[in-house]
Amino acid sequence: KDLKCFWMMLNITFLFIATVLFFCGCFISAADIVWAPLLERYAFQLPLFYSGLEPRGGSSEKNNNNSNNRWPLLKDWYNAMDTIPPYACRIKGDALSWRKVLYVEPWWPSSDVWHSRYDVGHKGELLRSEEECADMYNGGGSVSKQLWMEYSKDRPYVSSAGPEVEAATIIFHNRCHILPDLER
């Protein structure tokens, strides 16, 4: 009887886990916020190093095995995080930026007095080109117009025209501070 009860509770637990979107249930929590930067970086950078290792699911042309269902709960978590306007519109990075950071210290060390360029090693080739990264996961991190509208509706200081206009507006407003930096 105890074993039967145990299996029943285990099945109920698996059903619960399979239906929640976030780490601690149906709503975003501190656990999701803490893990988001690390898991986001993994989602964009691991496919650049390892063929077939795609935490968000999907399969690349270079790897035709079906990895869509390899980590379905993790894929669901990524998709759920993408529906949170503050995360998707302000915090989440994009595939091209995560790719570029791989060639910058400390991720790829430069030569110094003690280590020649040959000791540090060649940077090597990444498995995906910049073009492939731009197309990765909905345009590499682009935000839908609807999600941006939801994000900007309660923020009068944010342009409702989209993230591109918002970025241009910030650059324009900060031009007096940006220009001296460019002259350095």
Side-chain angles (χ1 to χ4, degrees), residues 18-111:
T19 59
V20 299
L21 297 176
F22 300 103
F23 285 125
C24 295
C26 296
F27 301 100
I28 192 168
S29 69
D32 300 290
I33 293 167
V34 167
W35 279 98
L38 177 72
L39 292 175
E40 176 190 328
R41 181 175 296 215
Y42 280 174
F44 288 117
Q45 290 180 342
L46 288 177
L48 298 177
F49 291 113
Y50 305 102
S51 180
L53 187 55
E54 299 183 23
R56 288 192 77 131
S59 60
S60 65
E61 292 176 18
K62 294 179 181 180
N63 180 27
N64 270 338
N65 68 354
N66 186 2
S67 61
N68 282 327
N69 296 322
R70 191 167 184 186
W71 297 290
L73 297 179
L74 186 57
K75 182 179 177 184
D76 291 345
W77 178 83
Y78 282 119
N79 292 337
M81 288 298 289
D82 287 345
T83 66
I84 307 293
Y87 172 76
C89 297
R90 234 1 167 214
I91 298 167
K92 182 181 176 184
D94 61 277
L96 287 176
S97 297
W98 285 123
R99 184 182 191 279
K100 287 178 184 175
V101 78
L102 291 173
Y103 282 120
V104 179
E105 289 189 66
W107 305 110
W108 193 263
S110 64
S111 58

